[in-house]
Amino acid sequence: MRILGIETSCDETAAAIVEEVDDPARPWVIRSSVVSSQVEIHREWGGVVPELASRQHVRDICGVVERAMADASVTPADLGAISVTQGPGLVGSLLVGVSFAKSLAAAWRLPLVPVHHLAGHIESLFLQHGPLPMTAMVLVVSGGHTSLYHVRAPGQYHSIGRTRDDAAGEAYDKVAKLLGLSYPGGPVIDRLAKGGNDRAVEFPAARMTHPDRNEPLQKGQWDFSFSGVKTAVLRHVRGKGEGWQPSDPEVADICASFQRAVVGSLIERTFEAARWFDAKSIGIAGGVSANSRLRQDASARGERAGVPVFLPSLALSTDNAAMIAAAGLRRYRAGMLAGLDLNAEAALQL
Ligand code: KG4
Ligand code: ZN
């Protein structure tokens, strides 16, 4: 069984073919994965411009899907279903993928499988590694979301915490903008931080709780907050006086110090939650999971704690359609299909 996945929730137009094979250790195999990124278009504006994004999706979608089909050497007759990101995301962008997927499903007489974007990020871990030891504590950390899910069984995602304000990736993007660095900020800060001193500036990490497992579970206990650290960077820069231009080493120090605070709080909260829920594995997915320090520190902490940590490859960390195809296969097997009245939902809940 092969499935076509389509993803257009933000500023990447993506299509992929994933095949289900008879291997319990690695049941999903990527046959092709094509991503057309719009970052060059949005960089000029310092962030994603929704109207430009949806127009570019319209231009790119046909070619991207054709390319994914050609790379996998498949024709419509080789496909068993079509999956598409239904939400959350920019509604104009989502509509391009949803309309296109519906048209293909109608023309090729194939079942249509709607997928939640964050379910796609979670399933990127299963796509990459096969079934994770259950239960799993999964952190989804991207430009739009920072959420913790307790995955009690494959396909069963229980939301236990989320950011109360900015997503971690959003904080990276905003801090980069304020330092005069280019969009998207995550990869730039990650690179510059390598040359800086992470103790140069003391930025407050989000408040840490040290929950005692005998205490009752409290609402919001596993939430994150990143607006504080972002504001601290702003204050630090403004505190230097009007027109202050940080030198390259100063920028590197700010990047390293900011990254230490953000990565520290992501890891702390995720490992605490894993301990509380007695999870047998930890997964970290989403665009920010491409961060080199997060990858290193989480893996090292996992070794110390004796909990295996799973990360997607760099290509599967940021937005792609292979993860949407994988999540689509899971839902298809559960019989969760949609009709041709499917609509995009900007604020879809998982
Ligand atoms: O998952 P994704 O591609 O799109 C969303 O669903 O939001 O994530 C994009 C986010 C951006 O905020 C970007 O700055 C961040 O992921 N990002 C990184 C890195 N690479 C991408 N953040 C930190 N370090 C990186 N290496
Ligand atoms: Zn994403």
Side-chain angles (χ1 to χ4, degrees):
M1 152 82 177
R2 295 182 196 86
I3 191 166
L4 166 67
I6 295 176
E7 152 67 36
T8 63
S9 67
C10 189
D11 60 345
E12 264 95 26
T13 317
I17 307 285
V18 171
E19 184 171 353
E20 186 183 52
V21 297
D22 194 15
D23 176 0
R26 288 292 293 279
W28 299 331
V29 180
I30 301 172
R31 295 298 179 210
S32 67
S33 181
V34 179
V35 180
S36 172
S37 172
Q38 305 176 358
V39 289
E40 296 305 331
I41 294 166
H42 301 293
R43 184 166 288 146
E44 192 181 334
W45 307 95
V48 177
V49 184
E51 187 60 17
L52 293 179
S54 48
R55 283 162 192 250
Q56 194 59 35
H57 285 305
V58 171
R59 290 187 195 100
D60 287 340
I61 185 92
C62 283
V64 166
V65 170
E66 277 171 1
R67 178 70 182 272
M69 300 278 287
D71 285 358
S73 303
V74 297
T75 66
D78 300 318
L79 296 176
I82 294 176
S83 60
V84 63
T85 306
Q86 184 192 2
L90 302 169
V91 76
S93 294
L94 289 164
L95 273 169
V96 177
V98 168
S99 313
F100 199 81
K102 288 200 292 189
S103 313
L104 290 184
W108 295 345
R109 299 182 195 286
L110 286 169
L112 180 65
V113 191
V115 166
H116 190 286
H117 183 76
L118 297 192
H121 278 301
I122 295 171
E123 296 299 346
S124 72
L125 297 164
F126 291 77
L127 176 58
Q128 171 96 38
H129 300 284
L132 266 48
M134 289 283 117
T135 63
M137 187 56 63
V138 177
L139 170 69
V140 181
V141 62
S142 72
H145 301 269
T146 301
S147 303
L148 266 176
Y149 290 93
H150 187 215
V151 182
R152 295 183 192 152
Q156 287 180 22
Y157 326 113
H158 295 268
S159 165
I160 62 158
R162 59 172 56 87
T163 182
R164 294 182 185 182
D165 37 60
D166 293 349
E170 189 180 355
Y172 266 95
D173 296 338
K174 287 178 177 169
V175 164
K177 199 168 184 175
L178 128 94
L179 292 173
L181 306 171
S182 69
Y183 173 84
V188 188
I189 290 182
D190 191 2
R191 180 166 50 77
L192 295 177
K194 291 192 173 110
N197 170 10
D198 68 1
R199 305 250 165 201
V201 194
E202 201 51 51
F203 294 130
R207 184 179 50 86
M208 298 297 167
T209 51
H210 289 283
D212 174 346
R213 281 187 56 189
N214 296 319
E215 296 272 312
L217 188 62
Q218 282 164 23
K219 193 170 183 302
Q221 185 170 314
W222 310 109
D223 284 354
F224 299 89
S225 167
F226 295 103
S227 71
V229 62
K230 175 197 67 187
T231 308
V233 177
L234 180 67
R235 274 212 210 95
H236 175 78
V237 171
R238 289 219 178 122
K240 298 284 183 181
E242 188 100 12
W244 179 64
Q245 288 291 338
S247 65
D248 288 353
E250 281 167 329
V251 169
D253 283 352
I254 294 172
C255 289
S257 303
F258 164 76
Q259 179 152 286
R260 181 170 75 92
V262 171
V263 168
S265 95
L266 289 172
I267 290 183
E268 202 60 43
R269 196 59 43 99
T270 304
F271 276 80
E272 275 176 8
R275 195 170 62 92
W276 178 289
F277 287 93
D278 200 20
K280 299 293 177 272
S281 63
I282 287 175
I284 306 180
V288 181
S289 73
N291 184 266
S292 60
R293 176 150 190 184
L294 178 59
R295 296 175 86 87
Q296 247 169 36
D297 289 3
S299 301
R301 173 87 178 252
E303 267 178 37
R304 284 203 302 279
V307 186
V309 173
F310 295 91
L311 293 149
S313 66
L314 292 182
L316 286 180
S317 295
T318 46
D319 285 351
N320 66 88
M323 68 185 196
I324 302 304
L329 275 171
R330 172 100 63 215
R331 282 179 71 94
Y332 175 80
R333 288 299 175 207
M336 298 161 92
L337 307 179
L340 292 180
D341 57 350
L342 178 71
N343 203 356
E345 271 195 50
L348 188 66
Q349 296 291 316
L350 183 60

